[in-house]
Amino acid sequence: MLIRNRRLRSSLALRQMIRETRISPESLVLPIFLKEGQGIKSEISSLQGQYHYSPDRVGEGIQKALDAGVSRFLLFGIPKLKDPVGSQAYAEEGIVQQGLRSIKKDFRDKAYLITDICLCEYTDHGHCGVLKGENPENTVVDNDPTLELLARTAVSHACCGADMVAPSDMMDGRVFALRQALDGAGFTNMPLMAYAVKYASAFYGPFREAAGSAPSFGDRKTYQMDPHNRREGLKEAFSDEAEGADILMVKPALAYLDVISAVRDNTNLPVAAYSVSGEYAMTKAAAAAGLIDEYGVMCESALAVYRAGAGILLTYYAEEIAKAIRKGDIG
Ligand code: PBG
């Protein structure tokens, strides 16, 4: 018998009807970079089309995204002062704290604000926690003392109006530490999205330039995951779930679709994926060189992440993807 697989592809109406993967703008999250200072709106050289905003101007970026149909944001902060213990991460007048107050004042519930919880943008050495050791050879990121600082950061963000916190540091026990601290401060309903399966990846390069957060020595391989491992990713996902995470994230996205799929099959929590700076920058660069169709590659890459099992996508293309959904090209 001749099986006519093409029958279901014969019209756009039919193709749209039988789509197995559905995407909605409500599941998109746009990263936003807050920079300490005033009057700042400057394009990030490593992330074309993305901007550094000071708290007094961040509303321009939020409004532009809202107009495109994106209303969930992930906030990062770039402080003026960095020190060994990242104190601007949990300072009352820290950059994310200022940004949260400013956005909430102007937009209230129109903008849903998730904050990245990590110390690497705030430490002068660029590592995600405090250090222990006398010289570069025996220096390590000290897990347990870091937990307290991360927890302070999360509570501080909650006090300034954050709607969700997202620890990205990869310290052991941080989800439990944050949950305890948030509950203790009365934020029992604050949702926590864990960067549960976060690999030590070269795809973060453009972000580190944007955030000035590249480690000044060594790398992040003693806390972020080894790209060889998938089962270990599940172990990370399970421990964050057991510690009280509400949403599990896999990061990066495109090179780790197998991991997204495995996490989806092994948890009942919502699964998010972060299409990181290198994924965005590569697409932009290839398009600028005339090698690929940016719009098509963007749509197809987003679809791949959802098809693998993610229900939430964090991406620098959030606005453009929302527009593509509205046009009916995907979704
Ligand atoms: C902070 C953090 C990083 C990213 C998100 N949170 C950088 C890193 O781990 O080095 C990367 C995001 C991106 O590349 O888009 N720890």
Side-chain angles (χ1 to χ4, degrees), residues 12 15-16 19 21 23 293 295-296 298-300 303 320-331:
L12 178 62
R15 288 195 299 273
Q16 286 178 328
R19 280 174 180 169
T21 305
I23 312 180
D293 162 27
Y295 184 76
M298 171 193 82
C299 288
E300 200 176 320
L303 273 180
E320 292 79 2
I321 293 170
K323 287 180 198 158
I325 294 170
R326 199 173 316 138
K327 275 176 67 187
D329 291 336
I330 49 171

Side-chain angles (χ1 to χ4, degrees), residues 86-98:
S87 36
Q88 286 303 306
Y90 38 90
E92 202 168 321
E93 284 306 316
I95 175 60
V96 169
Q97 287 80 352
Q98 291 178 37

Side-chain angles (χ1 to χ4, degrees), residues 76 116 118 120-121 128 168-169 195 198 203-208 213 220 224 251 274-278 316:
F76 292 98
D116 183 90
C118 193
C120 64
E121 297 108 288
C128 300
S168 70
D169 51 282
Y195 285 70
K198 175 169 175 176
F203 284 98
Y204 307 150
F207 172 95
R208 291 182 187 166
S213 65
R220 304 208 200 289
Q224 298 180 349
K251 175 188 173 195
Y274 194 152
S275 181
V276 300
S277 56
Y316 301 96

Side-chain angles (χ1 to χ4, degrees), residues 79-156:
K80 268 189 185 148
L81 292 172
K82 304 188 186 222
D83 63 28
V85 292
S87 36
Q88 286 303 306
Y90 38 90
E92 202 168 321
E93 284 306 316
I95 175 60
V96 169
Q97 287 80 352
Q98 291 178 37
L100 282 166
R101 289 191 206 102
S102 163
I103 301 168
K104 279 293 166 190
K105 178 168 69 62
D106 293 343
F107 295 92
R108 288 188 299 278
D109 290 341
K110 285 196 205 121
Y112 190 88
L113 305 182
I114 308 166
T115 58
D116 183 90
I117 307 289
C118 193
L119 297 185
C120 64
E121 297 108 288
Y122 304 91
T123 52
D124 51 10
H125 45 73
H127 279 287
C128 300
V130 294
L131 302 179
K132 181 171 70 178
E134 302 78 47
N135 53 56
E137 287 75 55
N138 68 5
T139 295
V140 292
V141 174
D142 203 358
N143 196 87
D144 297 7
T146 300
L147 298 181
E148 194 212 326
L149 305 182
L150 295 167
R152 273 169 72 177
T153 307
V155 171
S156 161

